[in-house]
Amino acid sequence: MEVKLELHNSLQGEIEVPGDKSISHRAVMLGSIAEGTTEISNFLDAKDPWSTVNCMRSLGVEIDGEGSNLRVHGVGLQGLTEPQDVLDAGNSGTTIRLISGILAGQDFHSVITGDNSLRRRPMGRIAQPLKEMGAKIDGRNGGNLAPLSIRGGSLKGIEYQLKVASAQVKSAILLAGLFAQGETVITEPGNSRDHTERMLTGMGYPLKKEGRTVTLQGGHSLKGLKIRVPGDFSSAAFFMVAASIVEGSDLTIKGVGLNPTRTGLLKVLKEMGAEIKVANERLSGGEPVADLMVKGSKLRAVEVGGDIIPTMIDEIPVLAVAAAVAEGKTVIRDAAELKVKESNRISTIAQELAKMGADIKELSDGLEISGGRKLKGTVCHSHDDHRIAMALAVASLVAEGETVITSWDSVEISFPGFLDLLKKCLAVQ
Ligand code: S3P
């Protein structure tokens, strides 16, 4: 499927974005291995989180409800059962990596795989520490690529230094640590998102966090919880950039999760001169939430790199769009992780924005963008990557003529209602 979009007037009104993807996955996984029921509201009703629901069901967990309200009937740490078939994580890196951590702790055999994109993404980063803990894991390419075959059980805690700041790797080890004997200690080089730690704590599991080190002991239990999932900052990001770059916009995005390990883009956009106000700050299910009021403004270039990158890793494609519009040369560095996402996002966003007339250069670990050139509508490709598709839709709003985005269906992965919501903001004048 393809969509056609055109240069537009401002974005106006009040919107809400769907529930956070990372938190939706974790609510289902942790709810499954907790004791008692976990009631989830504002669950992200999109393809990726449903991959997690289907995998947990195949492991014997009863999950009922539909849309964005689910009830997970936890089976406790010892209650999962051997799946009868191969588990399918679809397009979802979070599903395959975190569930592998859980499978590493199970005294049975399982195989987990995913779609063409996921089967190209590196799994050695989780397989290696999980093997050190005692699991038997194999896969294609010497165990680095899915399908992964896992025979778990009898784990022991380890001390592990992550090589990259990755919440998926950290969480896989933490989840395996729940089933391990003794202490699991993880230190990461940068601050990746901490939703797993927050939810474990919320479910009553003792855990210690000192600087960039997390420690837990195996063998305690989790208690089911009522969780209202906050709006996804990564989904709000497309609207934050759209309203910032389209002149005259005045948009309020309500109930957005503002966990400090996720909000790098907010800081960077403000540094670029964006007019974004944070109002009505509150806590929801152990996570900070607020409303964002965004007005159209003139943006200037920025240099980003280092510690802030893990807190905005999923937002870099749409930051590249803001940079293409901003005055001056933007440089983004230390973001080599983008190469192993749903697509190689350094090259896919550079390729597609260049087609629209942007002056954008690929670096080995980021991008260099000389902003201010007028963008022109053309035929662009999503590369089957949901965040590339939506970043291009944002760019189309300031491009002359018609932009066609092919393979649009990938948006179903994280934000099925994106186009309708965008059209709604563009219709209010
Ligand atoms: C996620 C962690 C990040 C992020 C992904 C979701 C998570 O991946 O890019 O979209 O839910 O833990 P990495 O852990 O590979 O950085």
Side-chain angles (χ1 to χ4, degrees):
M1 188 191 117
E2 59 181 40
V3 300
K4 294 181 176 150
L5 289 156
E6 287 197 355
L7 182 75
H8 260 286
N9 288 330
S10 59
L11 289 87
Q12 305 283 340
E14 247 183 46
I15 58 165
E16 272 179 55
V17 291
D20 187 276
K21 181 152 79 68
S22 293
I23 297 174
S24 296
H25 284 298
R26 287 158 171 83
V28 171
M29 289 181 209
L30 294 183
S32 294
I33 53 172
E35 280 159 21
T37 304
T38 290
E39 277 183 45
I40 313 172
S41 57
N42 205 33
F43 175 75
L44 172 62
D45 184 11
K47 273 194 176 164
D48 262 14
W50 278 103
S51 293
T52 290
V53 170
N54 290 331
C55 287
M56 296 319 298
R57 281 179 172 158
S58 301
L59 291 165
V61 182
E62 210 185 298
I63 302 172
D64 47 50
E66 55 186 282
S68 52
N69 292 302
L70 295 184
R71 283 164 67 85
V72 182
H73 302 280
V75 297
L77 279 178
Q78 305 309 327
L80 297 176
T81 52
E82 187 170 71
Q84 292 180 13
D85 204 342
V86 173
L87 302 172
D88 185 4
N91 189 246
S92 173
T94 305
T95 306
I96 194 168
R97 294 199 176 109
L98 271 62
I99 289 185
S100 293
I102 295 175
L103 295 174
Q106 310 306 313
D107 195 12
F108 54 65
H109 177 248
S110 47
V111 177
I112 187 161
T113 190
D115 69 6
N116 288 335
S117 150
L118 195 60
R119 279 184 279 106
R120 283 195 291 265
R121 297 178 63 187
M123 297 299 146
R125 51 178 62 192
I126 52 146
Q128 196 235 327
L130 296 176
K131 284 197 272 195
E132 249 178 67
M133 295 175 85
K136 293 192 178 66
I137 303 186
D138 210 345
R140 293 181 301 127
N141 191 236
N144 188 38
L145 298 176
L148 296 177
S149 140
I150 304 176
R151 181 169 286 282
S154 312
L155 300 187
K156 54 180 188 336
I158 51 167
E159 256 188 71
Y160 198 76
Q161 176 87 44
L162 296 193
K163 290 165 197 75
V164 287
S166 161
Q168 292 177 356
V169 180
K170 175 179 63 178
S171 302
I173 305 170
L174 281 174
L175 292 176
L178 304 177
F179 301 92
Q181 272 207 341
E183 209 170 58
T184 295
V185 186
I186 308 165
T187 304
E188 45 177 357
N191 273 327
S192 69
R193 63 194 69 191
D194 64 357
H195 306 300
T196 305
E197 297 91 304
R198 284 178 190 247
M199 204 177 288
L200 283 171
T201 305
M203 289 185 164
Y205 204 96
L207 167 155
K208 207 167 68 198
K209 189 142 195 179
E210 282 166 325
R212 286 178 179 165
T213 301
V214 200
T215 307
L216 61 71
Q217 292 269 351
H220 297 280
S221 61
L222 300 166
K223 305 269 171 299
L225 204 66
K226 256 196 171 156
I227 300 172
R228 180 170 169 85
V229 179
D232 197 325
F233 183 90
S234 298
S235 298
F238 299 104
F239 286 90
M240 287 161 66
V241 171
S244 295
I245 62 176
V246 180
E247 217 184 306
S249 295
D250 188 354
L251 185 71
T252 299
I253 316 168
K254 298 186 85 173
V256 182
L258 287 192
N259 180 313
T261 60
R262 296 284 298 279
T263 50
L265 179 77
L266 180 60
K267 290 195 198 100
V268 171
L269 283 176
K270 282 186 173 170
E271 207 181 316
M272 294 173 86
E275 227 188 285
I276 306 177
K277 277 205 194 96
V278 178
N280 198 10
E281 287 179 74
R282 54 210 188 263
L283 266 184
S284 169
E287 295 275 348
V289 172
D291 302 338
L292 300 176
M293 283 127 94
V294 192
K295 287 194 172 159
S297 47
K298 282 253 166 299
L299 299 185
R300 28 176 208 278
V302 69
E303 296 210 352
V304 282
D307 282 353
I308 198 165
I309 295 293
T311 71
M312 57 184 297
I313 193 71
D314 290 342
E315 288 65 70
I316 291 177
V318 79
L319 172 64
V321 175
V325 174
E327 211 45 59
K329 186 161 88 181
T330 290
V331 184
I332 303 165
R333 301 227 71 135
D334 304 316
E337 273 294 296
L338 288 176
K339 293 182 184 172
V340 290
K341 296 294 178 190
E342 287 82 329
S343 68
N344 174 344
R345 288 181 176 159
I346 294 185
S347 68
T348 51
I349 196 66
Q351 233 172 287
E352 300 307 315
L353 287 179
K355 282 187 198 163
M356 296 178 85
D359 182 350
I360 179 164
K361 204 169 95 194
E362 287 181 43
L363 304 175
S364 59
D365 63 347
L367 292 160
E368 195 179 283
I369 305 146
S370 298
R373 279 212 202 164
K374 187 77 203 139
L375 299 183
K376 293 183 299 293
T378 183
V379 179
C380 292
H381 184 33
S382 77
H383 296 260
D384 299 313
D385 182 332
H386 54 129
R387 299 202 197 282
I388 299 298
M390 290 184 277
L392 294 171
V394 173
S396 78
L397 303 177
V398 291
E400 250 161 41
E402 187 181 74
T403 303
V404 178
I405 306 168
T406 61
S407 281
W408 178 258
D409 319 50
S410 57
V411 165
E412 301 286 323
I413 291 296
S414 68
F415 201 162
F418 173 81
L419 202 56
D420 288 342
L421 199 57
L422 182 63
K423 285 182 179 161
K424 185 179 141 188
C425 309
L426 295 169
V428 189
Q429 295 301 336

